[in-house]
Amino acid sequence: MMRGLAAILTGVAAAAALTGCGGGTQSESVVCTNGDGGLDNKAFVFVEGPRSGERVLSGFRVTGCSSTFEANLNWRLRARDGHVLSKGFTEGGSQEPGSFAFTVDYPIGARQIAQLEVFEPRVTEEGFLAAKNLVPLVLEP
């Protein structure tokens, strides 16, 4: 009984860590933890969920952590043939790592493999390549 309760409480705590993510809020997801300073002054995009290869339904939620220029993040869901099924933008972290979250809706008639791209918009041709994360997914109709 106690072990079951502990497992439930652990699951609730993990879910609570993601509550309120996105929109540039200071809520932290697990991958945004920066106690050691390893994420300071770095451009990055980490997608926490869904995970690579996960099966998803239209309306799935994407969560993660980023640090990008002016906190801007774009996203695209591409079908296997490359055409864009859905796209949008959100905010994450800027000077400091910050959580992001958004919902992806898509129109398909049959199960297919697709690729979710979450990336920093390119604002200059100087410096390093823009931060980007690619996640292959299985889309369910």
Side-chain angles (χ1 to χ4, degrees), residues 23 58 71 85 87 103 116 118 125 133 135:
S58 184
L85 296 169
K87 65 182 179 177
T103 301
L116 175 67
V118 184
E125 294 302 316
N133 197 303
V135 183

Side-chain angles (χ1 to χ4, degrees), residues 1 6 10 16 23 28 60 66 68 71-72 78-79 84 92-93 95 126 135:
M1 171 81 170
T10 300
E28 283 196 7
F60 70 91
S66 67
T68 60
N72 293 321
R78 289 187 182 269
V84 176
Q95 296 295 322
E126 297 176 15
V135 183

Side-chain angles (χ1 to χ4, degrees), residues 100-117:
F100 64 82
F102 57 90
T103 301
V104 179
D105 293 306
Y106 58 84
I108 62 168
R111 178 181 302 125
Q112 62 181 278
I113 294 175
Q115 188 174 64
L116 175 67
E117 302 172 77

Side-chain angles (χ1 to χ4, degrees), residues 31-111:
V31 296
C32 269
T33 303
N34 192 30
D36 65 356
L39 302 178
D40 288 347
N41 300 312
K42 309 226 177 17
F44 64 87
V45 176
F46 299 147
V47 174
E48 195 167 24
R51 294 186 178 145
S52 178
E54 193 168 325
R55 293 173 184 268
V56 296
L57 295 169
S58 184
F60 70 91
R61 186 167 171 79
V62 178
T63 60
C65 180
S66 67
S67 178
T68 60
F69 181 71
E70 295 184 348
N72 293 321
L73 280 176
N74 289 354
W75 60 267
R76 281 188 285 255
L77 182 65
R78 289 187 182 269
R80 187 176 183 126
D81 67 5
H83 79 271
V84 176
L85 296 169
S86 188
K87 65 182 179 177
F89 60 93
T90 191
E91 290 184 343
S94 182
Q95 296 295 322
E96 295 183 19
S99 297
F100 64 82
F102 57 90
T103 301
V104 179
D105 293 306
Y106 58 84
I108 62 168
R111 178 181 302 125

